[in-house]
């Protein structure tokens, strides 16, 4: 790859966005994210009233569940997942778009770990670390 191609690739990764449409499912969004970041994974969880209506619980979304019913604002369906974005920024933006809890997990060998201690790392750093830990 020549220098110009490398620059174009970097610009494309910097401008990466996930676009959600009415028919977009949880699995679609996870697959799209995985194409760009093979060592990272998005997990979506919905909030649910607990027993007797006083405790809030979270339940993992199934891959075929549509995200449409969780949109906060119908006009905003895009999340910036460029390589220079931090985990905190991405999770915050997902929270502004969807009424869901979003977890960003990093692969470590054959398990997925939460990125809570490294939320200030960029997606590129997280993905690179996942690759190192999984070899």
């Amino acid at each position: 790859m020549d220098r110009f191609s490398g620059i174009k690739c970097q610009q494309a990764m910097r401008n990466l966005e996930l676009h959600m449409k009415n028919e977009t499912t949880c699995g679609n969004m996870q697959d799209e994210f995985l194409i760009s970041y093979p060592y990272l994974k998005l997990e979506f969880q919905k909030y649910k009233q607990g027993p007797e209506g006083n405790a809030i619980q979270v339940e993992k979304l199934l891959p075929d569940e549509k995200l449409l019913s969780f949109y906060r604002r119908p006009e905003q369906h895009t999340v910036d997942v460029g390589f220079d974005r931090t985990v905190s920024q991405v999770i915050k933006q997902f929270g502004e778009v969807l009424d869901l809890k979003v977890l960003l997990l990093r692969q470590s060998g054959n398990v997925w770990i939460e990125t809570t201690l490294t939320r200030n790392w960029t997606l590129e750093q997280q993905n690179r670390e996942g690759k190192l830990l999984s070899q």
Side-chain angles (χ1 to χ4, degrees):
M1 173 164 59
D2 64 13
R3 182 170 144 50
F4 181 69
S5 296
I7 291 170
K8 284 175 65 177
C9 182
Q10 283 181 340
Q11 289 172 338
M13 289 295 286
R14 183 174 289 122
N15 297 323
L16 257 171
E17 294 180 332
L18 293 176
H19 298 278
M20 292 172 259
K21 299 176 181 165
N22 290 346
E23 66 276 358
T24 302
T25 65
C26 176
N28 296 143
M29 192 60 47
Q30 291 169 323
D31 292 343
E32 285 295 316
F33 187 77
L34 195 63
I35 290 169
S36 301
Y37 302 106
Y39 298 95
L40 301 179
K41 178 168 87 169
L42 289 173
E43 188 172 286
F44 298 95
Q45 298 176 337
K46 57 186 169 184
Y47 299 101
K48 184 177 155 181
Q49 271 315 112
E52 300 172 23
N54 55 6
I56 295 181
Q57 301 174 335
V58 290
E59 182 179 282
K60 186 176 174 180
L61 247 65
L62 298 174
D64 61 343
E65 286 190 69
K66 291 188 179 180
L67 296 176
L68 171 66
S69 58
F70 300 102
Y71 291 159
R72 285 187 189 270
R73 291 184 233 147
E75 73 280 354
Q76 187 180 5
H77 297 100
T78 302
V79 175
D80 180 358
V81 291
F83 73 88
D84 57 346
R85 302 268 294 168
T86 66
V87 170
S88 291
Q89 290 172 317
V90 171
I91 288 174
K92 181 180 180 207
Q93 190 175 10
F94 265 112
E96 292 167 355
V97 175
L98 299 170
D99 189 23
L100 293 171
K101 179 177 181 178
V102 178
L103 298 176
L104 203 147
L105 308 169
R106 180 180 65 232
Q107 191 171 3
S108 181
N110 57 359
V111 297
W112 293 93
I113 59 173
E114 285 192 52
T115 54
T116 51
L117 297 177
T118 54
R119 291 174 73 103
N120 61 331
W121 288 12
T122 65
L123 296 178
E124 180 183 40
Q125 288 173 293
Q126 295 282 359
N127 196 59
R128 187 173 43 237
E129 185 72 13
K131 183 176 181 178
L132 288 172
L133 294 172
S134 299
Q135 293 180 345

